[in-house]
Amino acid sequence: MRLQRTVAREVELAGVGLHRGVSTRLRIAPAPPDTGLVFVRDDLGGLEIPALQQYRVPMVNASRLRRGEATVETPRAPARGPLLPGDRQCAAAHGQR
């Protein structure tokens, strides 16, 4: 049996996006079992982009997930291994036991 975790309550952060420099909002919310990590583009009618290999777009010094024309992305340091978008958020949530 694979143990799963989710966050206890919804958390929302807002700031300036790194890649485009526009106002950005990040909401982390609890999810049902077996949901996995899913990015929801509220600005695109709630389009969901699961953090799965099939949505990964190869890039240099960054990672991107794409579903249709919608993307989510985050930079990574060149000396580190590849990150999927949301790795930092997942790591932060994992530490909040």
Side-chain angles (χ1 to χ4, degrees), residues 44-63:
L44 298 176
L47 179 79
E48 294 184 353
I49 307 174
L52 298 173
Q53 185 67 27
Q54 69 194 62
Y55 297 109
R56 183 178 171 270
V57 177
M59 295 183 66
V60 176
N61 297 331
S63 296

Side-chain angles (χ1 to χ4, degrees), residues 3 5-9 90-97:
L3 298 178
R5 296 183 182 169
T6 190
V7 294
R9 65 184 184 283
C90 288
H94 179 75
Q96 302 298 318
R97 297 180 191 191

Side-chain angles (χ1 to χ4, degrees), residues 20 25 27 39-49 65-73:
R20 294 187 181 92
R25 182 176 58 96
R27 184 171 36 117
F39 294 89
V40 180
R41 291 285 308 264
D42 289 337
D43 60 328
L44 298 176
L47 179 79
E48 294 184 353
I49 307 174
L65 295 175
R66 171 176 285 155
R67 187 170 192 179
E69 294 301 312
T71 63
V72 291
E73 53 194 50

